[in-house]
Amino acid sequence: MSRFIVTARQSMLIAGLIQGFVMLGLHEWIKSKGFDVSDLLYLAPLYTLAVLGPLTFNFLRAEFSGRQSFIYASLISGVLALTAAWFGWSCETQTAPQLYQSANYIAGLWIFSFVSAVIWFHILPFAQSRLRRSEPVFSYSGLFEDAWRNLLLLANCFVFSGIFWALLGLWAGLFEVLKIEFFSDLFTTRYFVYLATAMSVSVAVSLEDKEASALVTIRRYLLAVQARLLPLAAFIVLLFLATLPFSGLQRLWDTGSATALMLGLQYAVIILTNAVWQDGKQPLPFSSLTRSFIRIALIALPVLALLCVWALNLRIGQYGWTIDRVWAAILVAFISLYAAAYCAAAVRSGWLQSLGRLNTAIALLVIATLLAVHTPLLDPQRISASSQISRLLTGKVAASDFDYEYLRFNLGRAGVTALRELEKIEHQAEAETIRSKATAALNMQSQSGMQALQHVPSQQEITARINLYPKGTAIDLAFVEAVHQRMQDGNYDYYSRALRDGKEPVAVLAVDLNKDGAPEYIVLKEPFAVFSKQGQQWRLIGNIGFNHNDTTHGKALEQATANADFAVVPRQWSDLRIGGFEGKLQLENQ
């Protein structure tokens, strides 16, 4: 009897089929039992294994044996699953089960997913190099080839799957024209979506051997195009640094975005330098004069890095560590490391001969650091909580001004743990205030509830903060009373935030939206709340969704309103036009 042998392509398709079934199973499991943020403790690692396990196997299987590919895919996805478990555990707040709906949670999930993808992309070429040579010595030339191959292959998976689904959409649409809806119903079921998507990715990877030369050609073209931009990037660096002594640093800090721009410029120079150097075997595309010009820019690169470090240090000194600043520090640290390394390579004789060794060492450091971020070693939530508590206890911020809400709703388990420690604090200035506010924060189930701890303005203060339009219109004091009552009830929602904060006068437009002879009041601050008088009571009925993104500050709206440039657009509830902005009423109960 002949022995059945599974080919590389067949094993890759099987891996894709298994991935589709596992992803579908996880979806059905969540659907049947519901989802709570505490479930991330096991769901995050399961999804990590389900996504990265088969994908890593397929990327390796094109060249290596099934056994080798399975072992290394298990190791890589297993390590990332451990970091996912820590991420899931640290997200759990223990007292706010609905927190997973918040923007902070969603942002954290996206950051974790992105960081995991970066780690996976960095570690895969090292695994391929290790398997190919069976020794822990990494050739930069091989790492360079593998990294570009993986990048283009991954891009091809997205393109292939996108075209695949576009064709299925055409297929279903054509038959719908003939009143045959079977295919559209089939293609939109989650069973088909999961299995077909996973299989399409596996098919795209399995075709690599047939299109390997095309991938090499694309890589050469992309690098050649990028390389031509390096002299321009070098010129921008030198021109900016030459201008800086005349403009001064204060203008730089006043922008609020200088650090991000300088980081972007450094990153562009680093990427473009690698596009020119590649693996060090290609002939140089520039004259000796241009190469000298580029060297000068690389030698000057650490100056930009030091400015970024300085700016970040100023912010941390003023406001302490936050999650955003921890990530900013990691990014600044790596860009600064690259800048120093490329400067060192530029001052040596020859054309950046040590670049390969430097890139390899930094890549390994990137892997180690990003893995540590999702462990207790370098957890941004723990670092941020510790820093903010230190600022409170050392008197850098008053107990009444401290942001307990940030601990409660932004820092997951670390923030909740810190608040519980504050509940027990004694022998500390303002200890009673700290304990009461920490307890109040822990008892909150939604972020808006934190604002109930703040001062509620009087009806007279609210009235003074309102600029009612059209000018000369008398304000209905029942409206002021209704808004004041919402605040007293702890109903601090973002609809009345501008009236409560009192940072500046708030424009309110009185206009009849439903043609009942009585005006509605529209607060011209995001999210443009609409209040209507029903009987003798003013009630919040919804908000206006405008068609311009630049209305978030309300300045253009208020100016147009002051110029009497507004009108209602007939509808059951009329639309509203102010200047060039049009908005629709979005009812609260819809």
Side-chain angles (χ1 to χ4, degrees):
M1 181 181 295
S2 61
R3 184 180 177 184
F4 178 73
I5 299 177
V6 178
T7 65
R9 179 166 293 122
Q10 289 170 340
S11 64
M12 294 161 77
L13 296 179
I14 292 172
L17 189 62
I18 292 172
Q19 182 182 48
F21 274 114
V22 172
M23 296 288 287
L24 176 61
L26 288 172
H27 181 107
E28 293 297 318
W29 185 18
I30 295 172
K31 184 182 177 184
S32 64
K33 68 179 289 295
F35 176 76
D36 185 89
V37 71
S38 60
D39 297 337
L40 279 176
L41 175 61
Y42 58 87
L43 283 178
L46 286 176
Y47 268 104
T48 300
L49 290 171
V51 173
L52 294 182
L55 186 64
T56 308
F57 175 86
N58 285 344
F59 270 63
L60 296 175
R61 186 66 182 93
E63 182 177 355
F64 308 107
S65 70
R67 178 176 175 276
Q68 290 175 314
S69 301
F70 178 79
I71 291 174
Y72 273 75
S74 300
L75 287 172
I76 294 172
S77 59
V79 169
L80 289 171
L82 290 176
T83 65
W86 170 261
F87 166 75
W89 183 86
S90 63
C91 281
E92 214 277 289
T93 61
Q94 304 170 343
T95 55
Q98 78 279 27
L99 191 60
Y100 70 90
Q101 299 173 349
S102 72
N104 294 325
Y105 161 78
I106 299 297
L109 192 58
W110 277 108
I111 290 173
F112 167 75
S113 301
F114 176 75
V115 170
S116 297
V118 171
I119 296 172
W120 177 82
F121 181 76
H122 276 75
I123 204 172
L124 191 57
F126 287 98
Q128 292 164 318
S129 179
R130 178 73 176 83
L131 280 168
R132 195 175 294 116
R133 293 168 181 77
S134 298
E135 57 185 29
V137 176
F138 303 112
S139 163
Y140 182 73
S141 177
L143 293 173
F144 174 84
E145 293 283 342
D146 287 330
W148 267 98
R149 173 255 184 190
N150 296 337
L151 178 62
L152 294 176
L153 194 54
L154 194 61
N156 182 56
C157 290
F158 283 105
V159 172
F160 186 90
S161 296
I163 295 174
F164 169 76
W165 275 107
L167 289 173
L168 291 187
L170 291 173
W171 180 352
L174 287 171
F175 277 87
E176 277 190 332
V177 171
L178 302 177
K179 306 302 181 183
I180 300 174
E181 298 182 352
F182 170 78
F183 296 109
S184 61
D185 292 340
L186 173 64
F187 297 160
T188 54
T189 62
R190 58 180 173 276
Y191 308 100
F192 186 89
V193 169
Y194 276 111
L195 295 177
T197 302
M199 288 297 291
S200 68
V201 172
S202 294
V203 170
V205 179
S206 70
L207 295 175
E208 183 214 359
D209 59 337
K210 297 182 179 296
E211 307 297 339
S213 59
L215 292 179
V216 172
T217 301
I218 293 172
R219 185 196 76 196
R220 288 174 178 169
Y221 171 76
L222 291 175
L223 289 172
V225 171
Q226 292 176 45
R228 300 298 175 178
L229 293 171
L230 180 57
L232 175 60
F235 175 75
I236 296 171
V237 169
L238 295 177
L239 180 63
F240 176 76
L241 291 177
T243 306
L244 206 54
F246 302 98
S247 63
L249 292 177
Q250 190 56 47
R251 289 187 182 181
L252 206 60
W253 307 146
D254 289 344
T255 63
S257 58
T259 302
L261 292 172
M262 289 188 292
L263 285 173
L265 179 57
Q266 292 174 82
Y267 184 71
V269 172
I270 291 165
I271 291 295
L272 295 175
T273 301
N274 277 281
V276 172
W277 196 77
Q278 299 186 33
D279 59 0
K281 298 179 180 179
Q282 288 71 28
L284 298 177
F286 305 124
S287 65
S288 58
L289 180 62
T290 304
R291 289 201 298 271
S292 299
F293 181 72
I294 294 171
R295 278 181 184 273
I296 296 172
L298 292 176
I299 293 171
L301 211 56
V303 178
L304 287 176
L306 288 174
L307 289 173
C308 291
V309 172
W310 186 3
L312 181 61
N313 185 61
L314 289 175
R315 299 294 291 177
I316 293 171
Q318 288 176 312
Y319 305 109
W321 288 97
T322 61
I323 291 178
D324 291 344
R325 290 185 195 115
V326 172
W327 283 112
I330 292 172
L331 182 58
V332 168
F334 280 125
I335 293 294
S336 301
L337 186 59
Y338 271 112
Y342 281 41
C343 173
V347 297
R348 296 182 179 180
S349 60
W351 175 246
L352 308 179
Q353 296 297 330
S354 59
L355 215 56
R357 295 192 302 273
L358 293 171
N359 283 340
T360 301
I362 296 175
L364 289 170
L365 186 58
V366 168
I367 293 171
T369 302
L370 295 183
L371 284 173
V373 165
H374 288 121
T375 70
L377 295 175
L378 203 58
D379 179 17
Q381 293 182 338
R382 180 185 59 80
I383 293 172
S384 301
S386 177
S387 173
Q388 295 304 316
I389 292 298
S390 175
R391 294 178 69 241
L392 173 64
L393 299 183
T394 56
K396 290 183 178 180
V397 58
S400 57
D401 297 330
F402 184 71
D403 194 352
Y404 301 88
E405 180 181 359
Y406 182 73
L407 294 177
R408 176 68 181 85
F409 293 101
N410 292 63
L411 300 184
R413 186 184 293 267
V416 171
T417 301
L419 285 172
R420 287 179 173 160
E421 292 175 356
L422 291 179
E423 276 190 305
K424 305 172 185 176
I425 200 163
E426 295 183 9
H427 311 298
Q428 175 75 29
E430 301 184 283
E432 184 176 350
T433 301
I434 293 173
R435 289 196 301 268
S436 64
K437 292 207 169 188
T439 300
L442 284 169
N443 290 333
M444 292 166 192
Q445 297 299 301
S446 63
Q447 194 159 4
S448 61
M450 185 64 200
Q451 309 298 337
L453 296 177
Q454 298 182 0
H455 168 67
V456 175
S458 66
Q459 293 186 37
Q460 291 76 16
E461 288 175 313
I462 295 173
T463 303
R465 293 171 185 175
I466 293 175
N467 282 340
L468 188 63
Y469 294 96
K471 283 295 186 182
T473 305
I475 191 167
D476 187 342
L477 294 180
F479 166 73
V480 177
E481 182 180 352
V483 172
H484 181 259
Q485 188 61 50
R486 288 177 65 87
M487 297 178 184
Q488 281 190 322
D489 293 342
N491 212 347
Y492 182 93
D493 49 52
Y494 56 99
Y495 290 102
S496 57
R497 178 175 56 209
L499 288 171
R500 181 170 189 164
D501 290 348
K503 295 179 180 178
E504 57 184 10
V506 178
V508 175
L509 173 62
V511 62
D512 186 3
L513 293 178
N514 61 350
K515 303 299 182 182
D516 64 351
E520 277 66 48
Y521 281 2
I522 303 166
V523 181
L524 298 183
K525 287 283 189 179
E526 190 186 14
F528 311 110
V530 179
F531 292 84
S532 180
K533 195 171 187 179
Q534 301 174 358
Q536 298 301 313
Q537 297 292 324
W538 282 89
R539 300 184 185 280
L540 173 70
I541 63 169
N543 66 291
I544 296 288
F546 283 100
N547 62 340
H548 285 63
N549 292 329
D550 59 355
T551 60
T552 53
H553 299 296
K555 296 297 185 184
L557 289 173
E558 183 172 0
Q559 184 60 49
T561 302
N563 295 333
D565 185 9
F566 59 85
V568 294
V569 182
R571 205 163 56 100
Q572 180 179 3
W573 280 91
S574 298
D575 298 336
L576 181 68
R577 180 187 60 76
I578 304 178
F581 308 104
E582 290 187 6
K584 296 181 182 296
L585 172 63
Q586 300 168 355
L587 295 176
E588 182 85 333
N589 60 351
Q590 292 184 356

